[in-house]
Amino acid sequence: AEGGNWDPLDFSPDGRRLLVLKYVSAAESYPGVVDVASGKLELFPVDGGKAAFGGFQFAPDGKAVYYISDEPFQGQPREFQTLRYHDPAKNTFSELTADIPWDVESLDISDDGKYLAYTTNEDGIAHLHVLTLPDHKAVKLPALPVGLIGGVSFSPDGKRLALTLNTATSPSDAYVIDLASAKLARWTQSEVGG
């Protein structure tokens, strides 16, 4: 009933809370959480009053959240949207991609809670990254063809990661990465004829 353009983003593992985002513009969004039983909305504070947000997801424990934002970090403005982690119980904020001078565009967490995948837009080329949870260590991935990545999603058992890849020589095709072996399999071969 707040009005505006609201998007539901992720339910907590127990189904009692829903992360939501009020979108105003590419540079202004307002995140919050709704108590499903009561409908009560709690907006999260935004450092600086206005920032871009996206990709909110509950951590596997349901207490903390992962998200993407260009909100100032520790009082310092940010040029790029970075991957963040916030644990309200410990009142800790972490910026997980501070060393990457490019925008983070998407994130996805595996159903088993062991992995987090995110993509970055590096000068118009998409790069895929995977971290182990909860320690945030990088997972070795196979080399991907240069192009645009979309539709990143883990298999239900969390052992594989699917994505679409659009390159200069082929339209979007489906690829699957086996995370244990770091092997890439192309599942589709789209028609490029006239």
Side-chain angles (χ1 to χ4, degrees):
E2 293 289 322
N5 183 5
W6 289 87
D7 289 314
L9 300 176
D10 190 33
F11 281 105
S12 59
D14 63 9
R16 294 181 178 178
R17 293 170 296 147
L18 174 65
L19 291 172
V20 295
L21 189 71
K22 180 181 181 180
Y23 178 86
V24 177
S25 72
E28 182 180 1
S29 293
Y30 298 95
V33 63
V34 173
D35 180 277
V36 175
S38 69
K40 181 183 174 193
L41 168 67
E42 178 188 348
L43 287 174
F44 298 147
V46 177
D47 192 357
K50 184 168 83 169
F53 287 89
F56 265 89
Q57 285 195 18
F58 279 101
D61 64 8
K63 297 174 184 173
V65 292
Y66 290 93
Y67 63 100
I68 300 164
S69 181
D70 64 358
E71 179 183 29
F73 187 77
Q74 296 179 343
Q76 299 298 312
R78 289 293 179 256
E79 179 182 358
F80 299 102
Q81 293 192 38
T82 58
L83 178 62
R84 319 278 180 105
Y85 173 75
H86 173 50
D87 185 340
K90 297 178 182 173
N91 197 27
T92 57
F93 286 87
S94 304
E95 191 176 34
L96 303 178
T97 59
D99 59 333
I100 300 176
W102 302 100
D103 282 329
V104 174
E105 293 196 321
S106 68
L107 74 91
D108 189 50
I109 297 174
S110 61
D111 289 345
D112 64 2
K114 293 182 179 177
Y115 296 103
L116 181 150
Y118 67 95
T119 59
T120 54
N121 181 337
E122 303 188 14
D123 208 14
I125 297 171
H127 288 265
L128 177 67
H129 310 263
V130 175
L131 301 176
T132 56
L133 297 180
D135 55 7
H136 303 142
K137 294 194 174 168
V139 173
K140 182 182 177 195
L141 297 173
L144 296 176
V146 173
L148 301 177
I149 295 172
V152 176
S153 183
F154 286 96
S155 61
D157 63 7
K159 294 180 179 179
R160 294 175 296 161
L161 183 64
L163 57 113
T164 60
L165 191 57
N166 187 311
T167 73
T169 58
S170 70
S172 292
D173 274 308
Y175 290 78
V176 173
I177 298 171
D178 182 283
L179 294 171
S181 64
K183 295 255 168 100
L184 176 69
R186 183 173 179 172
W187 280 27
T188 63
Q189 188 97 23
S190 296
E191 174 61 53
V192 293

